Amino acid sequence: MTKYNIEEEYASLHSSFPIHKHRPIIGITGNYDSGKCTLLEGYYRSVLEAGGTPLIIPSFDDTDAMVSLLDRVDALILSGGGDINPLYLGEEPIRELSSINPARDSQGLLLVRLAANRQAPILGICRGIQVMTAALGGKLYQDIYKEASATLKHSQDTERHVATHSVRIASSSKLAAIFGNPNLHVNSFHHQALKEVAPGFTVTAISPDGLIEAIESTDYKSMIGVQWPPECMILGGDRTMIPLFEWLVDEACSFAAARTLHNRILTLDTHCDTPMKFDQQIRFDNRDPRILVDLHKMTEGHLDATIMVAYLRQLERDKASLDAAFAKAERLLTEIEAMVTHNTHSVGIAYTPDDLYRLKREGRRALMLGIENGYAIGDDTSRIEHFRRRGVVYMTLCHNGDNDLCDSARGNAEHGGLSALGRETIREMNRVGMMVDLSHAAESSLYQAIEVSRTPIVCSHSSARALCDHPRNLTDDQLRALAASGGVVQTCLYDGFLRKEGGATVDDAVRHICHMVNVAGIDHVGIGTDFDGDGGIIGCSDASEVINLTRRLLAEGFTEEDITRLWGGNFLRVMRIVQG
């Protein structure tokens, strides 16, 4: 036996700098039996072999500790173990059910939900794929021989690192890309299995007797589950399964990089329509499934701030209708303020860029106020100063349909661009320090607004017409004109503005960002999601998922400086100019 010399080891470690290469932290849920936390060696050996740092997570039910844990780990492995208690899943136990582990079940089910909300990479193994599926809305077989008519031996007697049956992998899956082989020989130790995958997942591997052997997310989440125990292979010197752990470590690195970046920079979404849902009695401090932006989702997605707008549908333009529009804008702004007051410990209203940075330093989220549709001022430009004094940072001149100010992209070219009142409105907005927003406006309106305005204009939520031919999007000529005047366009995450045929994903959003950056320049593009106003796409469907967009931007080669500009830096540059 070689004698260990701590002094030599310590000196060697500190003989150069830095002393280590950073590795992502991979949390592994431990088994629990007779008061002991246990874990098979193959789990942490596989993580180390793949380039990660293993961290064993014991069973506990302290939710503060769970959330704190998820703030620090970069990925999760849900390990194998005993059966899941069917009572937790709304079922009665059948005779064939084996030993259960309630302490693991309660923690595992909640941990999966919390981690998925935070977009953390997850690998579910054996029991882990079942926990992941049950937690997210899928269904399980309590016993595959009783309920699924399995014909293979799925609980082998031979050594754990020996493969005993094959699985067929879907050719277009992540799993196929990981292993590079449509057929894989695996080991097997289970009698429970998946009956139905959870929403947002697809089956990626099947056993010869038709059981689900692997799943992965279809919603651009870094989540894979396998029914076999891949960690055992390394114990026999077999590296066949290491690529699966390398995939997890790579995803953990990407996630950690995006999370660290969001902690360093300010992230501002420049258009959000959540006040449209106020009549449903939503609560901003609840994780409310009816809305896409709330305190929970903003925190989970590391989104610092959003501009909430008082949206006004374009209706009649008689005096009574105009006064009603003004009154509605007033009411919505008041309701936003009341919502913030109710949650002042966690969120504040920002009136200037400096306010945004102050709120971030204080650990609070920030809301800014906007108005969507100049219909709100009617024909009275004095209301512009009134709204500016209330804190409104921008007003979108029109919505769907021409109004008294300008022609809309979805209108009848009533004015040939700006009306005389529209020109007066822009001059008054310049005077009081309110940003002029031309999203929804006709091409003629945008070009004329650039000429009239003394300060740069913005488009708070628009995308590229060259990639998706929709009148709400901007042509390349519009992009160039906007950039030449110092303005900025904020990429909209509405499905119909990203792909004409629908089904847009976060990759389509990145495609539009890249195109607009190539045309207008990195200083003139940003992000305005339009959440709660039809915005939200696969992979970035609500505020909790905005970090996925950042991960895609990093993968595309955008630098931290670039992403700082895209996530609000460019927009705030214009805001500072406008506010003087």
Side-chain angles (χ1 to χ4, degrees):
M1 178 178 177
T2 304
K3 184 178 179 181
Y4 179 71
N5 189 316
I6 178 61
E7 298 301 335
E8 288 182 3
E9 184 74 14
Y10 184 81
S12 175
L13 184 63
H14 292 85
S15 63
S16 61
F17 189 85
I19 66 172
H20 80 298
K21 178 182 178 182
H22 177 76
R23 291 181 163 198
I25 298 173
I26 313 297
I28 311 170
T29 57
N31 212 337
Y32 180 77
D33 182 44
S34 303
K36 295 181 290 185
C37 176
T38 62
L39 188 73
L40 292 176
E41 179 185 4
Y43 286 105
Y44 54 85
R45 278 189 56 185
S46 295
V47 168
L48 288 166
E49 184 77 11
T53 301
L55 175 71
I56 301 172
I57 303 171
S59 294
F60 58 83
D61 59 7
D62 186 319
T63 55
D64 288 339
M66 280 192 213
V67 174
S68 296
L69 171 76
L70 291 172
D71 285 340
R72 289 162 175 79
V73 299
D74 303 315
L76 285 180
I77 291 177
L78 308 172
S79 66
D83 288 357
I84 298 173
N85 189 342
L87 293 177
Y88 285 29
L89 311 180
E91 299 178 2
E92 294 295 330
I94 65 173
R95 183 180 58 188
E96 289 78 7
L97 186 73
S98 295
S99 60
I100 60 173
N101 198 327
R104 289 200 71 192
D105 290 345
S106 56
Q107 181 201 39
L109 293 168
L110 184 56
L111 198 61
V112 168
R113 284 278 189 94
L114 294 172
N117 287 347
R118 286 157 177 75
Q119 317 310 314
I122 303 176
L123 173 60
I125 292 175
C126 199
R127 179 187 191 276
I129 187 179
Q130 297 164 18
V131 172
M132 186 163 70
T133 296
L136 299 176
K139 295 183 179 180
L140 309 178
Y141 291 118
Q142 292 186 44
D143 183 82
I144 56 177
Y145 301 103
K146 174 72 173 180
E147 298 177 309
S149 301
T151 58
L152 291 183
K153 184 176 178 61
H154 286 275
S155 188
Q156 66 192 53
D157 297 318
T158 188
E159 293 178 276
R160 300 183 71 88
H161 65 269
V162 176
T164 57
H165 73 80
S166 64
V167 297
R168 186 176 71 255
I169 298 177
S171 59
S172 60
S173 65
K174 289 189 186 77
L175 210 58
I178 289 168
F179 289 111
N181 190 342
N183 294 293
L184 197 64
H185 290 142
V186 302
N187 49 355
S188 191
F189 296 94
H190 68 102
H191 81 108
Q192 292 191 319
L194 275 56
K195 182 190 295 184
E196 296 177 13
V197 298
F201 284 80
T202 189
V203 177
T204 56
I206 298 285
S207 66
D209 57 351
L211 291 184
I212 297 172
E213 288 281 346
I215 60 171
E216 63 188 43
S217 169
T218 57
D219 289 343
Y220 285 72
K221 295 178 184 288
S222 301
M223 298 177 71
I224 288 179
V226 295
Q227 186 59 73
W228 66 89
E231 78 286 351
C232 295
M233 295 307 201
I234 195 70
L235 299 178
D238 184 347
R239 297 189 81 260
T240 302
M241 295 296 161
I242 292 301
L244 183 58
F245 293 92
E246 290 174 337
W247 165 83
L248 184 67
V249 169
D250 287 344
E251 296 298 304
C253 288
S254 166
F255 175 69
R259 185 173 60 183
T260 300
L261 179 56
H262 275 242
N263 288 338
R264 277 200 298 263
I265 71 172
L266 179 78
T267 49
L268 169 67
D269 169 13
T270 60
H271 193 87
C272 155
D273 277 303
T274 306
M276 288 176 64
K277 308 297 179 76
F278 282 173
D279 60 355
Q280 299 179 31
Q281 286 72 55
I282 58 99
R283 281 184 55 188
F284 198 56
D285 58 343
N286 277 14
R287 199 176 197 282
D288 195 323
R290 296 170 296 175
I291 55 177
L292 305 184
V293 180
D294 57 39
L295 281 170
H296 293 274
K297 298 184 187 81
M298 290 181 74
T299 302
E300 291 158 359
H302 296 269
L303 177 63
D304 295 313
T306 188
I307 301 180
M308 279 196 176
V309 299
Y311 159 70
L312 302 167
R313 182 184 174 197
Q314 186 62 50
L315 297 172
E316 299 301 319
R317 287 150 61 181
D318 57 273
K319 186 177 187 309
S321 297
L322 295 176
D323 287 345
F326 171 73
K328 182 175 181 180
E330 287 277 271
R331 174 174 58 80
L332 289 172
L333 293 172
T334 298
E335 289 176 352
I336 296 171
E337 291 166 342
M339 181 180 75
V340 171
T341 299
H342 184 70
N343 297 285
T344 189
H345 58 288
S346 301
V347 63
I349 292 180
Y351 302 102
T352 68
D354 288 344
D355 288 342
L356 291 173
Y357 290 100
R358 172 182 55 79
L359 287 164
K360 183 176 175 74
R361 288 193 301 271
E362 292 173 1
R364 292 195 285 164
R365 305 294 150 183
L367 302 184
M368 288 185 137
L369 304 178
I371 291 176
E372 186 173 20
N373 198 352
Y375 189 40
I377 68 165
D379 56 4
D380 184 355
T381 56
S382 70
R383 289 172 172 171
I384 296 170
E385 183 169 8
H386 166 79
F387 282 129
R388 182 69 191 104
R389 289 181 181 277
R390 288 207 63 171
V392 172
V393 296
Y394 75 68
M395 182 171 71
T396 315
L397 290 194
C398 65
H399 197 256
N400 292 336
D402 302 338
N403 62 14
D404 289 328
L405 307 183
C406 69
D407 291 341
S408 164
R410 305 296 294 272
N412 299 310
E414 176 181 338
H415 308 289
L418 297 175
S419 68
L421 180 63
R423 293 170 183 271
E424 182 184 347
T425 294
I426 290 175
R427 286 191 285 267
E428 179 65 3
M429 291 173 74
N430 289 166
R431 186 186 73 81
V432 302
M434 185 185 293
M435 301 171 83
V436 180
D437 177 19
L438 269 292
S439 280
H440 286 283
E443 287 188 57
S444 55
S445 299
L446 182 137
Y447 287 126
Q448 291 172 24
I450 290 174
E451 292 177 0
V452 172
S453 181
R454 291 185 291 101
T455 56
I457 67 169
V458 299
C459 291
S460 65
H461 58 302
S462 299
S463 295
R465 198 181 299 185
L467 301 186
C468 182
D469 188 11
H470 191 289
R472 267 282 282 108
N473 285 340
L474 303 188
T475 66
D476 286 359
D477 285 343
Q478 286 179 290
L479 291 171
R480 282 187 279 264
L482 195 66
S485 66
V488 60
V489 56
Q490 304 293 103
T491 311
C492 181
L493 303 191
Y494 170 54
D495 181 81
F497 299 163
L498 295 176
R499 288 186 66 172
K500 192 93 172 183
E501 64 274 25
T505 72
V506 65
D507 286 341
D508 291 301
V510 171
R511 198 161 53 92
H512 277 255
I513 290 171
C514 289
H515 177 82
M516 293 195 289
V517 166
N518 288 336
V519 173
I522 188 63
D523 292 322
H524 304 283
V525 181
I527 301 162
T529 64
D530 202 17
F531 284 152
D532 287 318
D534 291 331
I537 53 177
I538 298 170
C540 195
S541 64
D542 63 32
S544 75
E545 297 187 358
V546 298
I547 195 169
N548 292 342
L549 178 54
T550 301
R551 289 182 64 184
R552 288 299 190 281
L553 292 171
L554 286 168
E556 194 66 30
F558 286 95
T559 66
E560 178 171 335
E561 186 178 2
D562 295 335
I563 293 171
T564 302
R565 290 183 173 122
L566 294 171
W567 267 125
N570 291 331
F571 195 87
L572 294 178
R573 169 182 55 80
V574 175
M575 187 181 292
R576 288 186 189 279
I577 293 171
V578 170
Q579 292 185 355

